[in-house]
Amino acid sequence: MPGLLTLPVFCHFFLPWVFIIFQNALGNPAPHPGPHYLLPPIHEVIHSQRWATVTLPCVLGAPPPSYKVRWSKVEPGELRETLILITNGLQARGYGPLGDRARMRRGHRLDASLVIAGVRLEDEGRYRCELINGIEDESVALTLRLEGVVFPYQPSRGRYQFNYFEAKQACEEQDGRLATYGQLYQAWTEGLDWCNAGWLLEGSVRYPVLTARAPCGGRGRPGIRSYGPRDRKRDRYDAFCFTSALAGQVFFVAGRLTLSEAHAACRRRGAVVAKVGHLYAAWKFSGLDQCDGGWLADGSVRFPITTPRPRCGGLPDPGVRSFGFPRPQQAAYGTYCYAEK
């Protein structure tokens, strides 16, 4: 009959739209009909260390007639991105906390790669290189991952004293920052076993268990135990801190010193009493091995063991051992000093 939609006509006009809608509903968008200008990265995870210079690659296969490239950092746990740099291929303008540490590599005319100098702990995370050409924007994502070490931390008052913001500050005071879940998981695979729960950067509270036991979450399977998200102002736990390579060096000064004498001993050597993060980084990256307890800046006494041996901490695994927080007037220990190179 005239005016009726025949089956062939229906299939021709409507099935392509049904297919696109079905793909979008599955979270798998239909193929982009236009040209793709950004080449996919060979490696989506870029590894580096603190204070190094690192390049995050972003390369155009062909340049559109006119375009801008926008670099940003995806902030963990927050629904926002921090603008870092915008370039039109000729000139670049930097924004945000990276400042003049961020620049374009410009290895060739299609190179939009980002170079970050003097990498800091807070630089770790996910970055986005976005091509803006006024028609169809596209982007590639890269993750900057720092090599480092996670260490549990609690103050002299005892365990479970920090709310989230106090834990964050405590890690920064010890030359670190709150660890991410990924960093804690990596540390667990490398042997971290700790029975006290601590804050992570994302605001969750967890602890890593290698040997399941009754006083430590029960006798279930090993893994990362989770308390889930907690109230950042009210709830109190320890902290898991993360630090990376040092710009200076840690060394031991022998003696029977009080804490104030330890500070004086380091000053005479052009150094300062080391922080907890300094000692862990020296143990991790420099292989510092010293079977003598020494004062640290927070008033704790610790010592690093790379090669476990009898009468040197009593544990079979490498690590940083702790004597806790002795009285500052107790003249019984040496000290670990930190000096910039």
Side-chain angles (χ1 to χ4, degrees):
M1 293 178 61
L4 289 180
L5 194 61
T6 65
L7 181 61
V9 173
F10 175 85
C11 293
H12 176 77
F13 284 102
F14 289 100
L15 280 185
W17 289 102
V18 171
F19 178 71
I20 291 173
I21 293 171
F22 180 70
Q23 279 197 312
N24 283 326
L26 292 177
N28 182 23
H32 191 291
H36 287 279
Y37 295 105
L38 292 180
L39 298 178
I42 297 176
H43 301 290
E44 294 184 355
V45 178
I46 309 299
H47 296 269
S48 187
Q49 294 182 357
R50 182 168 53 169
W51 308 122
T53 296
V54 66
T55 299
L56 303 181
C58 184
V59 178
L60 283 69
S66 64
Y67 69 94
K68 292 181 180 179
V69 170
R70 177 183 186 270
W71 274 99
S72 59
K73 185 170 187 282
V74 182
E75 299 299 339
E78 301 179 23
L79 299 176
R80 68 182 182 91
E81 296 186 6
T82 299
L83 181 61
I84 295 173
L85 185 146
I86 293 180
T87 179
N88 61 3
L90 299 175
Q91 296 178 326
R93 181 177 179 182
Y95 300 84
L98 288 180
D100 57 7
R101 293 193 298 118
R103 61 177 175 83
M104 303 304 297
R105 181 172 64 178
R106 290 201 176 100
H108 50 81
R109 67 186 185 90
L110 301 178
D111 188 8
S113 302
L114 180 70
V115 177
I116 302 175
V119 171
R120 299 174 184 174
L121 296 178
E122 59 269 23
D123 294 341
E124 176 166 298
R126 192 165 179 81
Y127 291 78
R128 189 185 312 279
C129 174
E130 183 179 13
L131 177 71
I132 304 171
N133 65 10
I135 303 173
E136 290 287 346
D137 300 341
E138 54 185 279
S139 65
V140 297
L142 298 153
T143 298
L144 174 59
R145 186 166 296 163
L146 299 189
E147 299 172 4
V149 57
V150 172
F151 59 94
Y153 189 75
Q154 59 182 228
S156 59
R157 304 188 304 276
R159 74 173 195 158
Y160 295 175
Q161 299 292 322
F162 297 136
N163 66 23
Y164 173 83
F165 304 100
E166 292 164 345
K168 187 172 182 290
Q169 180 180 350
C171 288
E172 292 168 358
E173 289 174 351
Q174 297 308 316
D175 192 51
R177 71 186 301 231
L178 276 176
T180 65
Y181 172 77
Q183 290 165 346
L184 183 66
Y185 184 87
Q186 178 71 27
W188 172 72
T189 66
E190 295 173 355
L192 181 60
D193 182 284
W194 197 256
C195 208
N196 291 340
W199 289 103
L200 296 179
L201 185 63
E202 299 88 348
S204 64
V205 174
R206 306 173 190 259
Y207 62 99
V209 175
L210 274 177
T211 304
R213 50 207 184 270
C216 198
R219 297 189 178 276
R221 299 179 61 182
I224 307 292
R225 306 279 197 261
S226 175
Y227 287 6
R230 311 299 291 180
D231 188 299
R232 298 189 180 196
K233 293 183 178 179
R234 185 189 64 217
D235 293 329
R236 295 187 173 271
Y237 298 95
D238 291 346
F240 285 106
C241 306
F242 174 84
T243 193
S244 186
L246 297 172
Q249 64 177 351
V250 173
F251 59 92
F252 180 71
V253 175
R256 299 181 65 84
L257 309 173
T258 65
L259 180 57
S260 61
E261 291 170 341
H263 281 282
C266 291
R267 283 196 300 269
R268 288 196 297 271
R269 292 162 174 80
V272 295
V273 175
K275 299 178 178 181
V276 177
H278 291 151
L279 190 64
Y280 270 91
W283 166 74
K284 173 76 173 182
F285 292 100
S286 302
L288 184 62
D289 186 287
Q290 184 77 40
C291 195
D292 297 281
W295 291 105
L296 296 180
D298 67 338
S300 64
V301 172
R302 308 173 194 248
F303 62 100
I305 297 298
T306 302
T307 305
R309 49 204 183 271
R311 292 183 293 183
C312 196
L315 296 176
D317 300 316
V320 175
R321 315 285 194 244
S322 176
F323 288 162
F325 292 83
R327 291 183 298 106
Q329 301 81 14
Q330 185 174 343
Y333 306 101
T335 185
Y336 289 95
C337 302
Y338 174 73
E340 297 282 353
K341 290 182 180 179

